[in-house]
Every structure is written in structure tokens, then in C-alpha cells.
């Protein structure tokens, strides 16, 4: 473990170009996919939690089912759709960062949606009764609901980012873990481990954890500032 | 102000069968009855929170204010919660002083106690002006002093704005203190109505008498 920590520090201090490339790809994939998942999942979760409409229960069940989708199944599905025999082969997205982001969005959005749906369902009825009783129109009610959801939005983002940065199954299948192109931290760890280079694997793991810790600290500080 | 007759059912069971009714302006009408008698349903349907059977609203063209039993404290300070319903700072100061909310004015509304939240919610609804104002057990979680202050504000609001005020309450004593008229609901039906003095001291129906005896009127 000690040698892994030394190796991790050495890689960072020497500015290892491959490591920097892996870090940049990881950041791009994780931040973009978690942000897109947030933009889709928040309104969808709020809609499912706050409104009653035909098909709502079916959508909720579908979303909860998708939450449990194994990443490799998601990866396989996208591989089949975008590979040389798939219906979307002409888009030429297989083994690109773009498809890795799309696959992660599909994996993460149900988590964000469910988190928002659960929170919104708890507050929607008393909030609606109170706001409607005060004579507020639908837009003001919506504004108040969004204001109530600030903390859950932060929590959902943390959840989405954590899932995105730690995910390996889908990104390795659709990205192919190509060095200097689609290799992210998790796929790189897998590669080094498969080659028997445990020290470098653990070093990358430590860097991944540190990166996740830093993002969590920044978001938690922002959340705390908002609560003042 | 007249509300038309309406019914409200849940899963085929009628929980409220209300005849057409005239709500007198500038008066307080207390609605009393046992649990499940339809008091809160009456409030929600009149306020437009829930649709009656047939979906045609019993009150049209009237500005209706409604304070639910468990009012929501929005994620902002107490004074901002109150100011949500009007910008008259003088009126806001008056309400906050009367309900002794000044010490918690800057505090987050979510951190208020149950009684303080009820006072904040009452001050907030009283910032608005309505033709019909419905308060569902507004003082249920308040102490004696706050209850008396709240009752004074309720009466003042009624005489100041001339609105018709509907007070859902379990407290017969409260109804005696501030109501002009009383409606007695039982099993979703309006069984007795009239001036508060008469109904609360000499009800015509045996069920009303038993209810009043039990609650120590």
C-alpha cells in the first residue's frame, strides 16, 4: 500500500502525460454525464413526485427498474445498437467519449429521477395546499417547489457524479478503453490489474478516490453556504 | 356570498353532502363536528384545493383564502414567508408584533416550533385580502396566550376587511368566543346551523347536544 501511495504521488508530481489524459477523459465523461442526467432527472423526478397523470405509476415502476440495470447490460445494449451490425452504426459513435457519456446518462438518470421523485412526493401535497390556499398561481407554486428542492438537487448531483466516476462496465464496453482516447480511471485500473501491475492499479484507485473526495468537499461546502 | 350545493366522494363513498349555503360577509362562521364529519373536506372543496363530484366549483368569482391544518413553512426566513403574501410592511409588522413573532423574524421558518409555525402561517394568510377566508384549526398547536392573540386578529380581520370567515375548530369554547354562526356537521351532512349563541347553548338536535356535552360546552 505504501508503495502505491508513493507511486500515486510520483505520478501526480511528475505530471505523467498518460495519467493527465486519463484524468481529463474521466472528468469529461463523469462531469458531462452527471450534469446531463441532472438536467433530465430533476424535472422528470419533480413531475413524477408532484403531479398525478395517467401512466405515472407505470413510469415510476419503469424508472425504478432502470435503476437496477447492470452497467454491463447497458454497455452491451449500446454496443449492439452502435456496432457494425447495429441500427445506429452510421453514427460511428462506438469507442468514442460521446457514446460513453450517453451510456452513463442512461445509467445515472434513473437514480437522479428517483431521488427527486421521493423528495418531491413528500412535500408536494402540503406545499400545494398551502400555496394554493394563499392564492398563488401555478408558476409561483412551481418556483416555490424548485426553491424547496435545492438541497436534494445537490444530493442528486453528488449521487450522479459518484456513480459516473466509479462506473466501469458500460464505459469499458462502449469506449473500449483505448489509450489516449477513451481510457478512464476505472478502465485503466482494470487494464493495469489485468497486466499484473497492482501498484499502479492501486495508485490510480487512490487518485480516483481523492478526486471524488475533492468534488464532494466542494459540493458540500456549496450546500452548506446555501443553507446559511 | 353563496356556495352552491355539492357532494364529495372518495372511492364511491360520499364523505360530504353540503347544501347551498350563504356565507355572511364580516362574520365568523365556526364549523364544528367530530373527526371524519367532513369539516376539512368542506374547507378544501370551498377553497378549490379538491374538486367536488361533478367538478363544478361551489364558489365562483370569489377570492378564497385557505389555511390548511398543517401549513407549510417555505425554505426561507419567517418574515420572508409572511411577506410572500403581500408587501404591506406596516401590516406585516402589526401581525408579527401581535403574534410575538419578532424574535424569530430572521430565523429559518423550517426551524420554528409547531406553535411558531402555526403563528407564522396565520400571519401569512392574514396578509392577503379575500372575500372568503377559511382557517382549518389555526390555533390547534398554539398556547393560550397565542390563541387569544390569534382569535383577536381573526375577528379584527373579519371586521376590517369585511370578509366572510370560516373557522374549522374542535374547540367549542373558541367557537363561543369568536363565532357569529355555527355549522354542525355529522357524517358528512350539515345537521344544524344558526347563530352561535343559540346552537352552542340550546341546540335543537340531540346529536349536537351530546357532542357539546362531551366537549364541555
Amino acid at each position: 500500500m505504501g508503495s502505491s501511495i508513493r507511486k500515486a504521488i510520483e505520478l501526480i508530481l511528475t505530471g505523467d502525460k498518460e495519467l493527465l489524459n486519463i484524468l481529463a477523459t474521466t472528468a469529461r465523461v463523469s462531469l458531462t454525464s452527471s450534469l446531463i442526467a441532472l438536467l433530465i432527472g430533476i424535472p422528470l423526478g419533480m413531475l413524477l413526485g408532484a403531479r398525478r397523470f395517467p401512466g405515472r405509476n407505470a413510469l415510476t415502476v419503469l424508472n425504478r427498474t432502470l435503476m437496477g440495470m447492470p452497467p454491463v447490460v447497458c454497455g452491451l445494449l449500446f454496443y449492439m445498437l452502435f456496432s457494425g451490425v447495429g441500427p445506429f452504426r452510421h453514427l460511428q459513435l462506438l469507442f468514442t467519449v460521446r457514446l460513453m457519456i450517453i451510456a452513463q446518462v442512461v445509467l445515472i438518470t434513473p437514480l437522479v429521477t428517483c431521488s427527486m421523485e421521493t423528495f418531491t412526493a413528500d412535500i408536494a401535497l402540503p406545499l400545494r395546499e398551502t400555496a394554493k390556499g394563499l392564492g398563488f398561481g401555478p408558476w409561483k407554486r412551481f418556483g416555490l417547489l424548485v426553491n424547496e428542492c435545492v438541497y436534494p438537487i445537490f444530493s442528486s448531483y453528488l449521487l450522479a457524479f459518484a456513480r459516473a466516476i466509479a462506473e466501469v462496465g458500460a464505459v469499458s464496453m462502449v469506449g473500449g478503453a483505448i489509450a489516449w482516447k477513451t481510457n478512464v480511471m476505472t478502465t485503466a485500473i482494470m487494464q493495469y490489474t489485468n497486466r499484473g501491475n497492482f501498484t499502479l492499479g492501486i495508485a490510480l484507485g487512490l487518485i480516483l478516490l481523492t478526486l471524488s473526495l475533492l468534488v464532494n468537499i466542494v459540493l458540500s461546502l456549496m450546500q452548506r453556504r446555501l443553507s446559511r | 356570498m353563496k356556495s352552491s350545493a355539492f357532494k364529495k366522494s372518495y372511492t364511491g363513498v360520499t364523505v360530504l353532502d353540503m347544501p347551498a349555503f350563504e356565507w355572511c360577509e364580516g362574520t365568523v362562521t365556526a364549523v364544528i363536528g367530530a373527526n371524519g364529519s367532513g369539516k376539512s373536506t368542506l374547507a378544501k372543496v370551498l377553497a378549490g384545493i379538491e374538486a367536488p363530484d361533478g367538478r363544478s366549483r361551489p364558489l365562483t368569482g370569489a377570492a378564497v383564502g385557505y389555511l390548511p391544518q398543517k401549513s407549510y413553512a417555505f425554505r426561507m426566513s419567517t418574515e420572508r414567508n409572511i411577506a410572500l403574501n403581500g408587501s404591506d410592511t406596516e401590516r406585516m409588522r402589526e401581525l408579527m408584533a401581535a403574534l410575538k413573532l419578532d424574535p424569530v423574524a430572521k430565523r429559518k421558518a423550517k426551524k420554528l416550533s409547531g406553535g411558531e409555525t402555526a403563528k407564522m402561517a396565520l400571519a401569512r394568510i392574514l396578509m392577503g385580502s379575500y372575500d372568503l377566508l377559511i382557517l382549518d384549526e389555526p390555533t390547534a398547536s398554539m398556547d393560550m396566550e397565542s390563541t387569544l392573540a390569534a382569535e383577536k386578529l381573526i375577528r379584527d380581520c373579519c371586521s376590517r376587511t369585511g370578509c366572510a370567515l370560516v373557522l374549522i375548530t374542535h374547540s367549542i369554547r373558541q367557537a363561543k368566543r369568536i363565532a357569529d354562526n355555527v355549522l354542525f356537521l355529522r357524517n358528512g351532512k350539515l345537521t344544524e346551523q344558526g347563530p352561535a349563541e343559540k346552537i352552542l347553548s340550546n341546540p335543537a338536535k340531540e346529536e349536537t347536544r351530546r357532542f357539546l356535552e362531551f366537549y364541555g360546552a
Side-chain angles (χ1 to χ4, degrees):
Chain A
M1 196 63 166
S3 60
S4 297
I5 294 170
R6 270 196 302 280
K7 186 72 187 167
I9 294 168
E10 187 192 313
L11 282 172
I12 293 166
L13 290 179
T14 55
D16 182 89
K17 283 193 178 151
E18 192 177 358
L19 173 74
L20 290 178
N21 180 269
I22 290 170
L23 277 174
T25 312
T26 307
R28 190 177 156 204
V29 171
S30 306
L31 291 171
T32 314
S33 58
S34 50
L35 199 67
I36 296 172
L38 203 69
L39 291 174
I40 302 169
I42 285 171
L44 191 60
M46 285 169 77
L47 182 76
L48 288 174
R51 307 290 296 183
R52 300 285 175 270
F53 54 88
R56 177 185 165 272
N57 286 341
L59 261 177
T60 308
V61 171
L62 177 71
N63 185 64
R64 287 176 186 173
T65 308
L66 287 175
M67 271 171 69
M69 178 157 69
V72 280
V73 174
C74 176
L76 181 65
L77 195 73
F78 276 94
Y79 188 91
M80 285 161 62
L81 290 171
F82 289 88
S83 67
V85 290
F88 301 119
R89 61 185 175 276
H90 60 283
L91 295 172
Q92 295 186 323
L93 283 175
L94 195 64
F95 305 135
T96 63
V97 167
R98 270 194 197 174
L99 193 59
M100 289 161 76
I101 292 171
I102 295 170
Q104 287 218 328
V105 168
V106 170
L107 275 176
I108 300 163
T109 304
L111 291 175
V112 177
T113 307
C114 185
S115 156
M116 286 308 296
E117 183 249 320
T118 312
F119 176 79
T120 314
D122 275 350
I123 62 160
L125 189 66
L127 187 146
R128 180 177 161 268
E129 278 191 4
T130 300
K132 219 173 169 186
L134 288 162
F136 297 163
W139 285 109
K140 193 162 182 179
R141 293 203 299 267
F142 178 71
L144 287 166
L145 179 64
V146 171
N147 182 52
E148 295 299 305
C149 291
V150 170
Y151 295 150
I153 288 171
F154 268 93
S155 311
S156 300
Y157 187 73
L158 283 175
L159 186 74
F161 180 77
R163 174 80 193 246
I165 202 166
E167 202 280 313
V168 61
V171 288
S172 67
M173 286 197 84
V174 301
I178 303 165
W180 301 96
K181 193 185 170 196
T182 58
N183 211 8
V184 289
M185 295 293 274
T186 48
T187 51
I189 291 169
M190 256 178 60
Q191 280 180 342
Y192 288 125
T193 309
N194 288 340
R195 287 181 209 154
N197 194 343
F198 294 106
T199 309
L200 204 56
I202 294 172
L204 284 180
L206 291 171
I207 294 170
L208 182 70
L209 276 174
T210 313
L211 198 71
S212 182
L213 177 73
L214 286 175
V215 173
N216 270 286
I217 288 171
V218 171
L219 286 171
S220 301
L221 287 174
M222 283 167 74
Q223 199 173 19
R224 192 176 289 181
R225 175 164 281 198
L226 267 169
S227 73
R228 275 184 202 145
Chain B
M1 192 189 327
K2 276 184 181 170
S3 61
S4 53
F6 66 89
K7 284 184 183 182
K8 176 69 186 170
S9 310
Y10 292 112
T11 57
V13 180
T14 303
V15 295
L16 184 63
D17 184 356
M18 184 73 186
F21 195 81
E22 187 158 5
W23 308 91
C24 300
E25 289 166 12
T27 61
V28 177
T29 303
V31 180
I32 58 173
N35 290 341
S37 58
K39 303 188 298 294
S40 290
T41 306
L42 170 67
K44 284 179 185 177
V45 173
L46 286 176
I49 303 291
E50 289 192 13
D53 298 353
R55 304 195 74 81
S56 61
R57 288 185 63 177
L59 273 168
T60 47
V64 183
Y66 165 63
L67 178 69
Q69 248 178 57
K70 285 180 186 165
S71 207
Y72 194 84
F74 296 106
R75 197 183 66 84
M76 53 186 80
S77 71
T78 306
E79 62 181 1
R80 279 193 63 200
N81 258 278
I82 298 170
L84 272 176
N85 198 25
S87 53
D88 185 345
T89 47
E90 194 54 44
R91 173 77 175 141
M92 191 165 108
R93 270 194 218 114
E94 197 181 291
L95 289 167
M96 289 182 74
L99 290 167
K100 294 193 167 56
L101 283 168
D102 290 322
V104 293
K106 304 280 179 201
R107 196 183 295 174
K108 280 182 203 162
K110 292 226 187 276
K111 300 219 165 150
L112 298 176
S113 68
E116 286 167 340
T117 305
K119 288 196 281 183
M120 180 275 293
L122 181 65
R124 187 172 59 193
I125 195 83
L126 292 179
M127 283 290 286
S129 58
Y130 306 97
D131 300 318
L132 180 73
L133 179 56
I134 306 159
L135 308 176
D136 195 349
E137 300 191 38
T139 60
S141 52
M142 290 185 202
D143 57 23
M144 186 187 75
E145 199 184 334
S146 305
T147 300
L148 293 174
E151 286 174 359
K152 186 174 181 305
L153 284 174
I154 291 168
R155 274 251 53 122
D156 286 352
C157 167
C158 210
S159 49
R160 193 175 59 86
T161 65
C163 73
L165 203 142
V166 181
L167 177 74
I168 314 285
T169 183
H170 265 294
S171 166
I172 307 302
R173 288 192 177 91
Q174 183 170 61
K176 269 186 177 170
R177 282 195 297 270
I178 61 169
D180 301 294
N181 304 301
V182 166
L183 302 187
F184 182 72
L185 292 182
R186 187 167 186 267
N187 296 333
K189 287 200 163 67
L190 178 61
T191 55
E192 200 161 354
Q193 56 162 303
E197 213 170 287
K198 179 180 173 291
I199 302 281
L200 297 175
S201 57
N202 188 26
K205 299 266 174 68
E206 182 54 29
E207 59 231 32
T208 316
R209 190 183 302 278
R210 273 193 286 131
F211 181 86
L212 295 176
E213 275 171 10
F214 181 80
Y215 283 98

